[in-house]
Amino acid sequence: MHTARLIGTETTYRIGKIVCLGRNYADHIKELGNETPDQPVIFIKPATSVIGQGGEVVIPSYSGCCHHEAELALLIGRRAKDLTEENAMAHIAGYGVAIDLTLRDVQDKMKKKGLPWEIAKGFDTACPLSDFVPANKIADPHALRIVMKVNDQVRQDGSTALMLRRIPTILKEISAVFTLEEGDIVLTGTPAGVSAIQSGDVLCAEIEGVGRLEVTVR
Ligand code: MG
């Protein structure tokens, strides 16, 4: 069972589904040659894809290209359906750091064929996740620096200020499709700089004021 811990409290949440937003930063859309979507690009990772701080990533043998995507994660604190932009933020219990690991070669193949992305995005260990900072400790979640380092080299250096869809809109759009439950996680997209990782790499994603998440690649 995978749990999310709220730092400084006794509260833990059993992680449910992880709902992820794709193509939410213009510079990342550009680097992959994608189009800016008018409808949100949404996909789900299963709870079994989560590993915690200090965990080990295992790249599946059917891929030759696994990319890191550092992202701000939201922990849902109470059940939510058909949220509005006005009431959405009150459903967030905390903020954390996630790495949306993506088998880019597999995803490219699936995209070309119009097939779903799960085997590229939802495999075991595909979602390294930090503990969560209580929401009331983060004054403005749209003003946080996100840095991703591989073996101490900076690969991604962006800001949540650059999100195309902001958090209230993301939650409104996701909760129109899926009921969000206590313990669900939402990933908000990644800035530019994604790149391939390999065996032995140390991945470190850091979000200002939220935390630092380090994992290694087997
Ligand atoms: Mg992503």
Side-chain angles (χ1 to χ4, degrees):
M1 183 176 101
H2 297 274
T3 55
R5 200 172 68 86
L6 208 52
I7 296 164
T9 73
E10 299 293 299
T11 317
T12 57
Y13 295 79
R14 183 184 177 144
I15 295 177
K17 59 188 171 295
I18 302 151
V19 187
C20 311
L21 198 67
R23 304 181 196 172
N24 200 30
Y25 287 77
D27 52 358
H28 172 62
I29 292 172
K30 207 169 155 193
E31 73 180 347
L32 291 188
N34 286 319
E35 278 172 23
T36 304
D38 30 317
Q39 295 301 311
V41 175
I42 298 171
F43 59 94
I44 288 184
K45 290 178 186 260
T48 45
S49 66
V50 172
I51 57 171
Q53 164 65 28
E56 191 176 58
V57 172
V58 182
I59 301 172
S61 58
Y62 55 83
S63 170
C65 182
C66 181
H67 276 183
H68 56 76
E69 298 185 356
E71 311 202 2
L72 177 67
L74 319 176
L75 171 63
I76 300 301
R78 55 193 171 97
R79 199 167 192 274
K81 175 69 184 164
D82 293 327
L83 292 175
T84 64
E85 288 177 359
E86 289 68 37
N87 69 11
M89 298 304 276
H91 292 74
I92 301 172
Y95 295 94
V97 183
I99 306 175
D100 169 16
L101 291 174
T102 304
L103 307 177
R104 195 69 71 197
D105 51 349
V106 176
Q107 186 198 31
D108 284 347
K109 243 184 262 168
M110 305 320 261
K111 275 159 74 177
K112 266 187 210 129
K113 293 183 183 168
L115 293 171
W117 298 355
E118 274 80 358
I119 64 167
K121 289 277 201 180
F123 59 93
D124 290 352
T125 77
C127 192
L129 197 58
S130 74
D131 289 341
F132 286 79
V133 172
N136 60 13
K137 305 268 193 233
I138 303 294
D140 182 2
H142 298 104
L144 305 173
R145 186 174 178 199
I146 301 188
V147 176
M148 175 85 220
K149 290 181 189 167
V150 178
N151 305 327
D152 273 333
Q153 279 196 319
V154 176
R155 302 273 181 95
Q156 295 183 271
D157 188 354
S159 167
T160 56
L162 300 173
M163 286 185 193
L164 296 175
R165 283 183 155 75
R166 289 164 78 89
I167 295 164
T169 310
I170 295 170
L171 292 179
K172 177 187 157 192
E173 291 177 332
I174 286 176
S175 70
V177 181
F178 305 106
T179 297
L180 291 172
E181 297 181 299
E182 191 179 301
D184 284 350
I185 308 285
V186 173
L187 302 193
T188 53
T190 198
V194 301
S195 66
I197 57 171
Q198 45 193 314
S199 180
D201 282 348
V202 177
L203 315 183
C204 180
E206 190 162 9
I207 300 180
E208 188 184 15
V210 174
R212 190 170 169 277
L213 168 66
E214 193 172 291
V215 293
T216 55
V217 185
R218 184 190 287 176

